[in-house]
Amino acid sequence: MSQRSGTQPEANSRRWLALLFIGLAQLMIVLDITIVNIALPSAQKDLGISDGDRQWVITAYTLAFGSLLLLGGRIADYTGRRRAFLIGLFGFAGASALGGAASGFEVLLSARALQGGFAALLAPSALSLLTVSFTEARERAKAFGIYGAIAAGGGAIGLVVGGLLTEYLDWRWCLYVNVPIAAIAAFGWSVLPRDTRSEGRARFDIPGVLLAVTGLVAVVYGCSEAESEGWDSRLVIGLLVLGAVLLLAFVMVERSVARPLLPLRVIADRTRGSAYLAVGLSVVGMFAMFLFLTYYMQIVKGYSALVTGVAFLPMTASVLAGAGGLASRLIPKVPPRLLVAPGLLIAATGVALLIPLDVDSSYAAGVLPAEILVGFGMGLVMAPSMNYATHGVQEQDAGVASATVNTAQQIGGSIGTALLNTIATSTTSDYMAAHAHRMTPQTAKAGLVEGFSDGFVWSSTILAGAAVLVALLMNAPRPAREPGAQDVTPLPVHMG
């Protein structure tokens, strides 16, 4: 007992140092989602990429990332989370360097797909390392408050960094920047929790892997094609139906195999299932905010990429206040639904404030209040949702549980972006047709804003509906007051 007490302060400090390196890796993944969007116009011009092929620079990443997450999580569980973390980290950095040095479209496309594949290993291993490192309720709340702030606010930072690098250096640095971040994060290997692996040989659920990967590819690809082809196209309908059938078959297989890729007990728990639902639906609001406001500020208001990125910074500060400030203090004290459901309602209110936006709206009156509310609400959603996404799982399932919440985020983002963009584009087309006889640049901008407004209506409605669902489904009680509430099986004190 005395030995354990003597090593506890050192183990505690190592945990928080490990959080720094885990957070850096997560930030790198989140940055990459938005930073490449800023770099894409310059990359397209430099490499001679056609308008038709341009979307594949984004789609190659999302397809690989979204479809391989469950497999990446299970690999981390079987082979060791620290080992998977380092492999994912170095692989992501190498793929980023390859993309930055790309001499043509094919090389850039391959690098983006590799980034997505390694991110699918890195993201769940990072979250599962955090899960098994922090088991005491108050420390866990603080750690997940920080992690949730990175997950919710990192995208806005990516816009700023992307604008800076593209404007003052070169688009290639939007990819190269991952290399030094990964190098710094790799220094944390010695303070990461020691790997604990299942006894016996690792046996992968091959039928489950094939069904999950192909099903998720079909869904993500179908959603990405819906933006250009429309939801009523045969290709999109066929892909979505195929994806649904394959995922249904995946569920049936998981019920019968001895070592499933995704044990159904992970998602059957109402609290964890509600956390996955909250994350998946909340990113619809986040993606609507980023997508439509980026276009609004750059095309309608004429802001530069850098100024647009800076304009999103208040949202990042608000996320930090919600996740790292309020949520981390309340997670150990209140049931999670009392944070997640109000957070979704606050975010829905923020998005609703953007509905009356017009061409002449000012940033201070039209955009800023919405950013603050959406950011604060998302902070309240992400911190407890990331925490309870791994609530009560056995240690050997921590990786796949972490992968499941990342999958929910990725699929929610893909569906939300395609759905809302289709709605906005359709409304803009109708507006343009109705005003074709007196078309001016101002009218064209008004048509864009009209489409954005319809997108914001749907986004706000989805967020409000998600709040109701979470309030009804998330039944976890107030956390136990005593330290050591069972979230996962604790690791031995010795680390490294």
Side-chain angles (χ1 to χ4, degrees):
M1 188 71 182
S2 60
Q3 181 182 1
R4 182 180 179 89
S5 300
T7 58
Q8 191 63 40
E10 180 185 354
N12 185 60
S13 64
R14 290 166 75 88
R15 279 199 297 272
W16 289 105
L17 189 57
L19 173 60
L20 170 64
F21 297 114
I22 293 170
L24 273 176
Q26 175 65 15
L27 179 62
M28 185 175 67
I29 296 172
V30 177
L31 282 176
D32 205 69
I33 295 172
T34 52
I35 197 172
V36 174
N37 290 347
I38 295 292
L40 188 54
S42 298
Q44 181 183 2
K45 182 179 179 180
D46 191 21
L47 300 179
I49 302 172
S50 68
D51 288 342
D53 289 337
R54 174 181 57 191
Q55 64 163 330
W56 280 102
V57 177
I58 306 299
T59 304
Y61 179 84
T62 57
L63 275 177
F65 188 25
S67 62
L68 295 174
L69 271 165
L70 290 178
L71 178 59
R74 190 46 98 192
I75 289 173
D77 284 332
Y78 281 157
T79 64
R81 285 173 279 273
R82 182 170 67 170
R83 178 180 299 177
F85 178 84
L86 292 173
I87 293 172
L89 194 65
F90 287 125
F92 193 93
S96 299
L98 177 65
S103 57
F105 172 63
E106 293 77 11
V107 177
L108 179 60
L109 192 66
S110 300
R112 290 290 289 161
L114 284 172
Q115 276 187 308
F118 283 111
L121 182 61
L122 179 59
S125 60
L127 181 55
S128 59
L129 281 170
L130 193 67
T131 298
V132 298
S133 297
F134 294 91
T135 56
E136 192 275 320
R138 292 187 182 276
E139 283 192 345
R140 184 178 171 92
K142 292 177 183 177
F144 276 89
I146 296 170
Y147 193 87
I150 293 172
I157 298 174
L159 293 173
V160 178
V161 175
L164 281 168
L165 294 175
T166 302
E167 191 161 330
Y168 294 107
L169 291 175
D170 186 82
W171 68 267
R172 297 177 184 276
W173 280 97
C174 291
L175 292 163
Y176 286 145
V177 71
N178 291 321
V179 177
I181 296 176
I184 296 171
F187 278 108
W189 74 270
S190 62
V191 295
L192 295 176
R194 178 181 296 168
D195 284 336
T196 55
R197 295 155 57 182
S198 303
E199 295 182 2
R201 292 183 59 189
R203 294 182 180 179
F204 287 98
D205 169 21
I206 301 301
V209 169
L210 294 175
L211 288 170
V213 170
T214 54
L216 290 171
V217 164
V219 171
V220 175
Y221 183 38
C223 291
S224 66
E225 287 297 295
E227 296 186 56
S228 57
E229 300 293 329
W231 287 96
D232 56 351
S233 76
R234 290 184 179 180
L235 174 64
V236 172
I237 293 173
L239 285 168
L240 294 180
V241 171
L242 175 63
V245 170
L246 290 171
L247 292 176
L248 179 61
F250 169 70
V251 172
M252 301 304 293
V253 167
E254 299 307 275
R255 294 177 61 183
S256 58
V257 297
R259 295 192 177 185
L261 175 67
L262 174 61
L264 296 185
R265 61 179 178 269
V266 171
I267 57 176
D269 178 83
R270 282 178 60 177
T271 297
R272 287 196 297 271
S274 300
Y276 302 147
L277 183 69
V279 169
L281 293 178
S282 66
V283 295
V284 173
M286 287 289 286
F287 274 64
M289 172 73 77
F290 284 134
L291 179 67
F292 296 142
L293 281 187
T294 298
Y295 279 110
Y296 175 78
M297 288 190 276
Q298 291 195 24
I299 296 176
V300 177
K301 304 301 290 185
Y303 295 175
S304 68
L306 177 58
V307 172
T308 299
V310 172
F312 277 109
L313 284 181
M315 182 177 176
T316 304
S318 188
V319 169
L320 292 173
L326 185 61
S328 63
R329 294 176 182 272
L330 293 181
I331 286 173
K333 300 177 181 178
V334 301
R337 77 171 81 191
L338 295 186
L339 291 173
V340 179
L344 287 165
L345 286 177
I346 292 170
T349 302
V351 174
L353 292 180
L354 294 170
I355 296 172
L357 212 61
D358 59 38
V359 176
D360 298 319
S361 296
S362 69
Y363 170 79
V367 176
L368 182 59
E371 283 189 2
I372 292 173
L373 283 178
V374 172
F376 190 78
M378 292 303 297
L380 293 182
V381 171
M382 283 296 183
S385 293
M386 291 292 185
N387 186 348
Y388 280 89
T390 53
H391 172 78
V393 297
Q394 300 173 22
E395 186 184 332
Q396 62 266 30
D397 291 334
V400 75
S402 303
T404 304
V405 70
N406 280 285
T407 302
Q409 188 173 11
Q410 188 65 30
I411 297 300
S414 297
I415 294 175
T417 301
L419 174 64
L420 296 173
N421 195 48
T422 302
I423 291 170
T425 302
S426 177
T427 300
T428 296
S429 297
D430 292 343
Y431 185 94
M432 296 297 190
H435 296 80
H437 59 287
R438 51 186 178 88
M439 184 61 61
T440 65
Q442 191 75 358
T443 306
K445 290 180 179 180
L448 282 175
V449 176
E450 190 77 11
F452 299 159
S453 294
D454 260 17
F456 290 134
V457 169
W458 281 90
S459 174
S460 181
T461 303
I462 291 170
L463 288 169
V468 174
L469 287 175
V470 169
L472 293 174
L473 294 175
M474 188 173 272
N475 63 339
R478 175 185 177 185
R481 294 182 62 88
E482 294 298 322
Q486 291 298 312
D487 289 306
V488 295
T489 305
L491 288 178
V493 173
H494 298 287
M495 297 185 182

